[in-house]
Amino acid sequence: MTATGHPLGTPEDVIARLVHARITAGLSQATVGQRMGTPHASAISAVENHRRNPGLDWLTRYATAVGHIIAVIPTPQENQIGRASCRERVY
């Protein structure tokens, strides 16, 4: 569990891990954009710099482009009976 209470981190943490994966793989934003079918590196930059909130489909395509996957694990919240949250894990 992180300091924010999210077991796998915040959405920003997920994006940071994906950016780290991109850099570690030696890929540019433009290359990732091409692999995703997004012709403008500025769209990649906007998400990486938290100026745009991507959806799960976008994150999945980004993860695939950098050689990773996004796994969504529906898990009940400890303090809210009857409600569930989706937590994302980047591999």
Side-chain angles (χ1 to χ4, degrees):
M1 178 123 8
T2 66
T4 61
H6 295 269
L8 301 173
T10 64
E12 291 80 10
D13 295 332
V14 173
I15 292 168
R17 286 194 295 270
L18 288 171
V19 171
H20 177 76
R22 174 183 68 77
I23 292 168
T24 300
L27 301 171
S28 68
Q29 291 176 338
T31 299
V32 170
Q34 289 171 349
R35 290 180 178 189
M36 292 176 64
T38 303
H40 304 288
S42 61
I44 306 298
S45 176
V47 171
E48 289 186 357
N49 291 293
H50 312 292
R51 292 189 312 268
R52 185 170 164 210
N53 289 326
L56 184 57
D57 178 63
W58 194 97
L59 288 171
T60 300
R61 289 186 297 123
Y62 185 108
T64 300
V66 299
H68 288 260
I69 65 167
I70 298 279
V72 177
I73 306 164
T75 317
Q77 294 182 4
E78 294 176 17
N79 297 332
Q80 296 185 11
I81 297 172
R83 297 180 127 185
S85 65
C86 290
R87 298 177 177 149
E88 300 170 359
R89 178 172 289 169
V90 178
Y91 294 96

